[in-house]
Amino acid sequence: MTDRTPASPLDPDRVDRVLAPFAADGGRLGVVVEDLDGTAIGGSAAAGDRVTRDIASNGGTVARLVATGPAAGEPAVSAALDALAIGLGELAEVSTRIPPSELALGRLHQRSIVSLRAPEVPGYDLASHYEAAREIGGDFFELFRLRRRRRTIGVVIADVTGKGIAAGLMMAFARPVIHAALDAAPGPAVALERTNRILVEELHTRLFITALVGSLDAGSGRLRVANAGHEPPLLVPGDGRPVLNVTCGGLLLGAFTSLGLDETEVQLAPGDLLLLYTDGVTDAADASGERFGEPRLYATLDATRGRSAHEVVAAIRDEVAAFRGAVEPTDDVTIVAVGRHS
Amino acid sequence: MALQTTVERVEARVPVTVVALDGELDASTYEHLIDDVRGLYQDGARKVVLDLSGLTYMASSGLIALHSIVQVMHGEQPPDLEGGWSAFHALGNAAEGGKQEDVLLAGAQPGVTRVLERTGLDQLFSSYPDRASAIAAA
C-alpha cells in the first residue's frame, strides 16, 4: 500500500465498495472515480469511450465520475451516471465530517464478492454472507457506526428489484444515499422517507428497492427498525422461546410519493440473535422448482441456537446451497446476523 | 420456470380483458408480461382483470410488472425496460388518490398476496377472490 493522502473527501475504500458491482460486468461498462487531478480513487475502467460527470459536494466539485466501455454512451447509463454522481456527492459530504478511521472499521469478509466490512462492537457478534447471482444483482447491506453516535450501529439490508446494469447502478446509488440518510436522520423511518424522496423526485427510476433499516444502541441493546417492503427480521431469543418474526412493514422505496413508515422497537438481550435476509434465501429453488421457504429457515435457526452469528450465517448459507443442489442461483443471497453475547 | 398468459375478452358492464397468469412471475418473465399488456392496450383494452389463480410464485421483479401494467393502462408509456432509468412518475399513494380501477386482481394465492402486502403494492389494486367476482366488479 502506498501512503495516499486523499485529495478528495471520497475515501478510496468506500468508492471501491460503491463501484464494486460494475467490476463483474464483463467489460461493457467500467466506472471509476477520479480526483480533480485525474488520478483514480477507486473503481475499475473498461476500454472504450469516456463519459464524465462532476461529483459535487458542499457547493463545489470534489471529484469526477468516469464511465468507460461500450455501454458508457447508452441513454439509460447516462441517466444512471447522473444519479450515481448525486449519490457519491452525498457520500463525500458525510465523509468530510467523519475521521477516515471510522469509515474502515473491522475486518474483511473474505467470502463476499462485494468486499464488506463490519465494525467490531464489544458485546456483539456481527456476521454476514453475500453471494451474487450470475447477473449483476441488486442486494446490498451495511453495518456501520453512525456519525457522532459511535455507540449506535446502523443496519441496512436492501434488494433492488430487477437485474442487470440498471439494478447494479441503482444499488450503487442507493447505498450511499441510505447510509448518509441514516447518519443524518433522527431515526430509520425518517432515513427511508428521505431516501424515497430522492429516488422518486430527483432520480425518476422505475426500479424499486425493498429496504430494512435499523439503528442499534449497542449499550442498551435497543434496536429501532423501519421496513420499506423488505422481509421482516427474525429474532432468535436466547431464552429458548420460539423464533419470532419482528412484525414491521410498509411501502417499498421508489413507487410512492411518501411512505409514512412506522418504527418498531426490538430489545436485544444477551443471548439473542437477530437475522436479516433477502428473498434470495427463501426463494432459492431446487431442481423440482420447490422453494427453500420460511419453514426451512426457521428450522435452521432453531437448530443453531446458542451458536455465534458467524456460525448461524454459515449454517444458513450451507443449508441453502445443499437445498439448491446443482441449480444455478437466479437471485442474490444475503444473510446478516447480529448476535448479542453480553 | 415459465409464465404462460391466456387472454380472454368478456362483455360485462364494460368490455373486460382477462389475462390469466400460469406459472411464475420473476426476473425472467416480467418483461414479457408488460409487453403483452402493452399490446392489449394498443388493441383497445381499457379494463384488465389479472387472474392470478394459476400464479404459483411472484418475485420482487413481478412488482415492477404490476406497477408498469398500471402505467400502461393509464395510457402512459413505461420507460425503456432494458435501461430502466428513464423518467417516470411515481403513482400517488392510495391515501391520496384511491385505488386505480383500470387493473383488477383476481384469485391471488396466499404467497402472492403476502408479497403485495409486504411491499404495499396491494394499495394500488382492488383484489377479488376469483375471476367472476372481479369481472362483475369491473
Side-chain angles (χ1 to χ4, degrees), chain A residues 1-15 33-37 39-42 62-63 95-96 98-101 103:
Chain A
M1 282 294 271
T2 52
D3 182 30
R4 309 191 256 190
T5 308
S8 99
L10 283 164
D11 175 80
D13 176 53
R14 308 235 66 208
V15 168
V33 172
E34 293 179 351
D35 67 19
L36 297 179
D37 300 328
T39 308
I41 297 172
V62 294
S95 301
T96 53
I98 312 177
S101 60
L103 286 170

Side-chain angles (χ1 to χ4, degrees), chain A residues 1 53 64 210 239 276 301 333:
Chain A
M1 282 294 271
R53 294 286 184 283
R64 280 197 184 86
T210 69
D239 62 7
L276 304 94
L301 288 171
V333 171

Side-chain angles (χ1 to χ4, degrees), chain A residues 38 82 107 128 132 140 145 155 160 168 239 275 306:
Chain A
D82 291 341
R107 61 195 195 78
S128 59
F140 63 96
R145 290 182 188 277
V155 181
V160 178
D239 62 7
L275 185 86

Side-chain angles (χ1 to χ4, degrees), chain A residues 22 25 28-32 49-53 65-85 136 164-170 173 203, chain B residues 80-86:
Chain A
F22 308 107
D25 185 48
R28 277 214 338 124
L29 180 68
V31 184
V32 174
D49 293 347
R50 248 174 92 93
V51 177
T52 67
R53 294 286 184 283
L65 180 67
V66 181
T68 51
E74 291 175 9
V77 171
S78 172
L81 290 175
D82 291 341
L84 193 51
I136 300 174
I165 288 179
L169 284 165
M170 178 67 151
F173 167 75
L203 193 52
Chain B
D80 171 37
L81 284 169
E82 189 55 39
W85 282 76
S86 318

Side-chain angles (χ1 to χ4, degrees), chain A residues 28 74-77 79-80 83-84 135 159-163 165-167 169-171 173 200 203-208 210 227-232 248-252 254-260 279 283 286-289 291 294 330-331, chain B residues 1 23-28 30-31 34 38 56-69 71-72 77-96 114-124:
Chain A
R28 277 214 338 124
E74 291 175 9
V77 171
L84 193 51
E135 276 187 278
D159 182 0
V160 178
T161 59
K163 288 275 168 279
I165 288 179
L169 284 165
M170 178 67 151
M171 160 183 156
F173 167 75
V200 171
L203 193 52
H204 302 304
T205 169
R206 66 191 296 266
L207 298 178
F208 305 136
T210 69
N227 185 357
H230 199 82
E231 281 71 14
C248 57
L251 302 174
L252 80 181
F256 300 95
T257 49
S258 69
L259 303 176
D279 59 7
D283 289 355
D286 68 9
S288 75
R291 306 274 167 188
E294 285 178 24
T330 55
D331 200 1
Chain B
M1 213 62 65
E24 303 193 336
L25 182 55
D26 60 19
S28 65
Y30 76 101
E31 298 181 354
I34 302 169
R38 185 183 290 116
T56 53
Y57 169 72
M58 187 172 78
S60 52
S61 40
L63 301 170
I64 303 179
L66 293 187
H67 192 270
S68 295
I69 285 170
Q71 288 182 281
V72 167
Q77 183 62 24
D80 171 37
L81 284 169
E82 189 55 39
W85 282 76
S86 318
F88 104 113
H89 300 287
L91 297 167
N93 286 0
E96 294 159 13
R114 259 203 311 281
V115 174
L116 290 172
E117 287 178 352
R118 195 187 75 216
T119 54
L121 281 203
D122 61 326
Q123 298 189 15
L124 288 179

Side-chain angles (χ1 to χ4, degrees), chain A residues 2-300:
Chain A
T2 52
D3 182 30
R4 309 191 256 190
T5 308
S8 99
L10 283 164
D11 175 80
D13 176 53
R14 308 235 66 208
V15 168
D16 273 339
R17 288 168 60 180
V18 166
L19 299 182
F22 308 107
D25 185 48
R28 277 214 338 124
L29 180 68
V31 184
V32 174
V33 172
E34 293 179 351
D35 67 19
L36 297 179
D37 300 328
T39 308
I41 297 172
S44 55
D49 293 347
R50 248 174 92 93
V51 177
T52 67
R53 294 286 184 283
D54 287 350
I55 297 171
S57 174
N58 293 320
T61 300
V62 294
R64 280 197 184 86
L65 180 67
V66 181
T68 51
E74 291 175 9
V77 171
S78 172
L81 290 175
D82 291 341
L84 193 51
I86 294 172
L88 288 164
E90 296 254 333
L91 187 66
E93 205 159 313
V94 171
S95 301
T96 53
R97 291 177 250 143
I98 312 177
S101 60
E102 287 181 41
L103 286 170
L105 287 165
R107 61 195 195 78
L108 187 65
H109 288 248
Q110 299 281 357
R111 287 189 153 269
S112 309
I113 289 173
V114 180
S115 59
L116 299 150
R117 293 158 192 264
E120 298 288 345
V121 185
Y124 291 83
D125 183 15
L126 308 179
S128 59
H129 171 71
Y130 168 76
E131 184 186 340
R134 197 154 43 90
E135 276 187 278
I136 300 174
D139 281 11
F140 63 96
F141 75 93
E142 264 194 286
L143 298 162
F144 58 100
R145 290 182 188 277
L146 294 191
R147 178 167 61 92
R148 290 207 207 95
R149 288 174 283 173
R150 296 276 325 232
R151 289 175 63 80
T152 305
I153 308 301
V155 181
V156 175
I157 186 164
D159 182 0
V160 178
T161 59
K163 288 275 168 279
I165 288 179
L169 284 165
M170 178 67 151
M171 160 183 156
F173 167 75
R175 185 180 179 129
V177 170
I178 293 179
H179 184 122
L182 195 55
D183 262 340
V190 174
L192 284 173
E193 196 70 57
R194 173 176 158 73
T195 302
N196 183 64
R197 200 162 51 237
I198 291 172
L199 293 183
V200 171
E201 290 178 8
E202 295 183 24
L203 193 52
H204 302 304
T205 169
R206 66 191 296 266
L207 298 178
F208 305 136
I209 304 176
T210 69
L212 181 71
V213 171
S215 61
L216 170 67
D217 179 65
S220 67
R222 194 176 66 110
L223 173 76
R224 293 160 66 191
V225 288
N227 185 357
H230 199 82
E231 281 71 14
L234 302 177
L235 178 67
V236 188
D239 62 7
R241 281 178 295 140
V243 176
L244 195 74
N245 178 332
V246 178
T247 309
C248 57
L251 302 174
L252 80 181
L253 302 174
F256 300 95
T257 49
S258 69
L259 303 176
L261 298 177
D262 292 324
E263 285 180 10
T264 302
E265 217 174 282
V266 183
Q267 181 60 46
L268 281 185
D272 288 354
L273 181 136
L274 189 82
L275 185 86
L276 304 94
Y277 64 99
T278 57
D279 59 7
V281 173
T282 41
D283 289 355
D286 68 9
S288 75
E290 191 180 335
R291 306 274 167 188
F292 187 74
E294 285 178 24
R296 284 187 184 86
L297 181 58
Y298 277 62
T300 308

